[in-house]
Structure formats: structure tokens, C-alpha cells
């Protein structure tokens, strides 16, 4: 065991040196070897220090069962923090850990340098531990059942935030904070207004459509007590932290895959280790016949981008001023400035769509069939799937609908209908947080429809 640790420490030092030589710029790294139960707990919760909820336990049970049945395996987890924490699965071979270390170094470089992550809190491990303590205190004071019920409501709509608030929400507090009466008072400063007591705070009609449903409910609901608002603040902050990862999934995994391949090539592997690396790498970037493998697609787009900028055509050199050998500089620039939407829109070419055998498929009757292989349609559908992190955009239109304090929401339709069963299960959660009837306008079969929930049942009405 002691020799294994020494071998791993030596490998980490060598890989780190190679990564730095390539120009990767990452946070100080902290590595920990963890058993499967711990790794899958962290994977289910999203962080090693998050609050408890039954949905995380459900995710853990599903993920751990897949691991036990050898259907899937998490080799590592890496946290966007400074220092950056990487958790490696106990039982990994040395070659597996070498690949993983190279992979997580590239993730850390991405976290540190991509503009989407520039305003995220780098101390969320400690922050989430403090938040978990606060929620446990509420469980002791108000009862675990009441707190869990409220968490059910918020987690059902947690993705409906405005990620642009990442740019203006402070990541740390400075100056005198003794005048803050509650942990969420600073959020009221977003619109320059002072908080009112929950009992007298009126519902508002926003001057324009409001994207951040969680923040709107926090500021305007008449039924939320202070501890409710504090929990809303906690989940709002956590979702802002996770959001850049939703926006850059393909880029982030493609970048990490690109670099673990190149770093591993620099190591002095023997024949047996080379074969093991090749098998492991193939399993990571293997394309899927039914869905997008972000490791594979991201890797191939980065490789194609580097090749095209290393060897621009004479026309590109003449018209665009491109010079030979600029591929590596270009992919570092893209890593810094792009998200999945612009990455796919700008760099998924016709040749790549053909080479990757990408296509659009739809359900026709009882069968799934390929309906389009045209590269522009494929690219556009992929881009569309990444809008808003893959979640529908629900906007607040009126907080005093019918002049009765009811909530009117509008689905920003993007040629993709809502899952109506999911809608009918979710709108009661919004009602519980708002306290009065909730209405949601959307498009069904090309017709405008209004779904309403008054606390008893969901009613559908064509407009």
C-alpha cells in the first residue's frame, strides 16, 4: 500500500509538471482516495457538504446499484473550488488514476479560466456546510417533516433562476454587516429596495418579464416565513453555483478529454499500461447510438478546431488573416470565452456532423426513426437542447393577476413543448410557495393553452 501511494504521488507530480508545460492554469489541487459509497454519495448530492434530502438518497441508490451491477462507474469527482478538490475512487489502478489526474487538472483549468465560472463562489464547500447546518437547525425547530416538505417545493423548480445574477450577486461579504437582520437581506439590494416584513410585502407585477422565479417568490410571496426565505436563499445561491456547469457540459468534458489524452501520451507507459489506457480512454469517449456523449463530441470539436486553425486554407489566410500553427492558441481562447451554445453554433461543422454520424430522430407511432441528417438541422437541434442549460424558460408575467394576487407565468416557447405530466405535477409546488392560484401559459399542438391550479386540481383552457 505504501508503495502504491508513493507511485501515485510520483505520478501526480509528473502529470502536474506536464500539464503546466502545456499551459494549463489550474487551482492548487487536493486529492483524496474514497471508497465507492463515499464517491457515490458525493455524486448524488453534487457536493461533499450539502444538506440532506430524500431525492439525493434516491439518486445515490440508483447510481450505486448501477455500480454494483457493473453497469456504470464513477472514477472521480472534481469540485469547482480553490483549492480544487478531486476525489478518486478507491481500487482504481495506477493507470486509471494517472488518466483521472490528467482529466481533473484540465477540469480545474476550465473552472478557473472559463468566463462562465468567473463569478462563481470558490468556497462553496465551506458555504454549503454552513447552509446544511442552518437547515438542520430549522429541522430541529420546525420539524424535519415540515422542512423536507418545503425543500420538496423549492427543489421542484430550482432550475428556474436567472444566471445573469451570477455577475451581480456578491461572492463574499465586506464591510459592516451588522445591520442585516436576515441572511437574505443583501438580495433585496438587487433592485435597490428595502425588504418589508413578510406579512405586509405586496405581490408585484414586474415591469418586464421576470426570469428568476425563485427570486420573485422569495421577494413577493405573502405566505413565506423568514426560515422559508432563508432556505430559498440557500438553494438560489447553490443553483447559481451549479449553473455554469449546465451551460458548459460538452465543452468542459471535451476539454478534459482532450488534455488527458495528450498528457498520457507524454508519460513513459509500458506496453501493458498503454493497452490499459487505450481501453479506458475508449470507454470514456465511446459515442452513444441514442444520445450525445459530451466527452466524445466536445473532444472532436476541439480537435477539429485545432486542426483547422493550424492549417488554414489559403483563402482563410487571405480573407481572415489566419496564420499557420494557431490551433493551440485558438482552443485556449475558446475555452475561455465560449459556452456550449456558442461552441456548437460556431464550431460544429458540416464535415464534423458527417464524421460523427449525428442525426435527428423522433418518435413516429411506436418507433423511433431518424428524421433528418442535414448538418444545419442537427447543429441547430443540438444548440436548442443547450439553451437555458437544457431547461424550459418560464417567465413571471404578473404577480397580481385578475387583481387577486394570483401568479401568471409564461413559457418562452422554443419549438419544444413542455412535458405536460411533469407540468401538472410541478405547478402545485409553485402554488404552495405563492399561496394563491398559479397560471402557466404555453403552447400545445401549436395552440396557446393556459394551465391553472387553485390548490385542488389543474385545469387546462385553450386561449
Amino acid at each position: 500500500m505504501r508503495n502504491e501511494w508513493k507511485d501515485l504521488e510520483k505520478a501526480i507530480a509528473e502529470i502536474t509538471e506536464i500539464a503546466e508545460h502545456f499551459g494549463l492554469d489550474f487551482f492548487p489541487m487536493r486529492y483524496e482516495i474514497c471508497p465507492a459509497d463515499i464517491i457515490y454519495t458525493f455524486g448524488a448530492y453534487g457536493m461533499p457538504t450539502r444538506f440532506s434530502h430524500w431525492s439525493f438518497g434516491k439518486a445515490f441508490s440508483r447510481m450505486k446499484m448501477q455500480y454494483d451491477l457493473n453497469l456504470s462507474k464513477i472514477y472521480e469527482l472534481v469540485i469547482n473550488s480553490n483549492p480544487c478538490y478531486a476525489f478518486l475512487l478507491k481500487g482504481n489502478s495506477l493507470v486509471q488514476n494517472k488518466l483521472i489526474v490528467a482529466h481533473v487538472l484540465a477540469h480545474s483549468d476550465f473552472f478557473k479560466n472559463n468566463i462562465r465560472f468567473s463569478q462563481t463562489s470558490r468556497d462553496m464547500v465551506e458555504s454549503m456546510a454552513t447552509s446544511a447546518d442552518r437547515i438542520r437547525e430549522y429541522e430541529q425547530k420546525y420539524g424535519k417533516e415540515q422542512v423536507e416538505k418545503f425543500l420538496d417545493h423549492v427543489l421542484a423548480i430550482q432550475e428556474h433562476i436567472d444566471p445573469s445574477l451570477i455577475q451581480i450577486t456578491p461572492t463574499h461579504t465586506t464591510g459592516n454587516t451588522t445591520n442585516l437582520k436576515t441572511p437574505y437581506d443583501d438580495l433585496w439590494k438587487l433592485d435597490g429596495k428595502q425588504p418589508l416584513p413578510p406579512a405586509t410585502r405586496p405581490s408585484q407585477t414586474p415591469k418586464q418579464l421576470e426570469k428568476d422565479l425563485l427570486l420573485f417568490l422569495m421577494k413577493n410571496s405573502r405566505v413565506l416565513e423568514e426560515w422559508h426565505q432563508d432556505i430559498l436563499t440557500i438553494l438560489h445561491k447553490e443553483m447559481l453555483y451549479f449553473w455554469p456547469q449546465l451551460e458548459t457540459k460538452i465543452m468542459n468534458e471535451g476539454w478534459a478529454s482532450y488534455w488527458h489524452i495528450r498528457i498520457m501520451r507524454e508519460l513513459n507507459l509500458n506496453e501493458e499500461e498503454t493497452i490499459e489506457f487505450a481501453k479506458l480512454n475508449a470507454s470514456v469517449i465511446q459515442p452513444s447510438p441514442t444520445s450525445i456523449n459530451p466527452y466524445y463530441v466536445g473532444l472532436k470539436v476541439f480537435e477539429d478546431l485545432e486542426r483547422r486553425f493550424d492549417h488554414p486554407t489559403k483563402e482563410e489566410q487571405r480573407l481572415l488573416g489566419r496564420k499557420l500553427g494557431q490551433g493551440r492558441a485558438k482552443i485556449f481562447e475558446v475555452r475561455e470565452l465560449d459556452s456550449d451554445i456558442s461552441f456548437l453554433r460556431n464550431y460544429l461543422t458540416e464535415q464534423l456532423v458527417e464524421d460523427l454520424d449525428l442525426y435527428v430522430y423522433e418518435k413516429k407511432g411506436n418507433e423511433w426513426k431518424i428524421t433528418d441528417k442535414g448538418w444545419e438541422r442537427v447543429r441547430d437541434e443540438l444548440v436548442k437542447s443547450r439553451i437555458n442549460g437544457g431547461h424550459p424558460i418560464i417567465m413571471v408575467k404578473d404577480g397580481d393577476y385578475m387583481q387577486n394576487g394570483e401568479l401568471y407565468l409564461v413559457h418562452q416557447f422554443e419549438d419544444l413543448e413542455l412535458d405536460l405530466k411533469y407540468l401538472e405535477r410541478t405547478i402545485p409546488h409553485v402554488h404552495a410557495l405563492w399561496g394563491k392560484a398559479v397560471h402557466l401559459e404555453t403552447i400545445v399542438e401549436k395552440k396557446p393553452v393556459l394551465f391553472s391550479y387553485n390548490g385542488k386540481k389543474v385545469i387546462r383552457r385553450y386561449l
Side-chain angles (χ1 to χ4, degrees), residues 350-402:
E350 180 177 6
Q351 187 62 51
L352 263 179
V353 169
E354 182 178 338
D355 291 345
L356 301 180
D357 193 25
L358 300 177
Y359 48 81
V360 177
Y361 64 96
E362 301 174 43
K363 194 169 186 178
K364 300 290 186 180
N366 294 324
E367 297 182 356
W368 292 93
K369 295 186 176 180
I370 296 174
T371 56
D372 202 333
K373 299 195 75 169
W375 81 274
E376 289 181 320
R377 171 79 190 284
V378 171
R379 179 200 62 193
D380 292 346
E381 289 297 322
L382 262 178
V383 169
K384 191 186 301 181
S385 73
R386 304 308 304 146
I387 293 174
N388 201 44
H391 299 284
I393 300 175
I394 306 295
M395 311 287 280
V396 178
K397 182 178 181 179
D398 193 346
D400 193 21
Y401 181 60
M402 304 288 288

Side-chain angles (χ1 to χ4, degrees), residues 408-411 417-418 420 423-424 439-452 458-463:
Y408 195 103
L409 308 174
V410 178
H411 170 219
E417 292 185 4
L418 296 175
L420 298 187
L423 184 160
E424 292 181 351
H439 311 272
L440 174 57
E441 179 183 333
T442 186
I443 302 293
V444 178
E445 297 178 349
K446 300 182 179 180
K447 297 178 182 178
V449 180
L450 186 67
F451 289 85
S452 301
V458 178
I459 300 171
R460 182 188 311 192
R461 177 168 62 91
Y462 286 93
L463 299 176

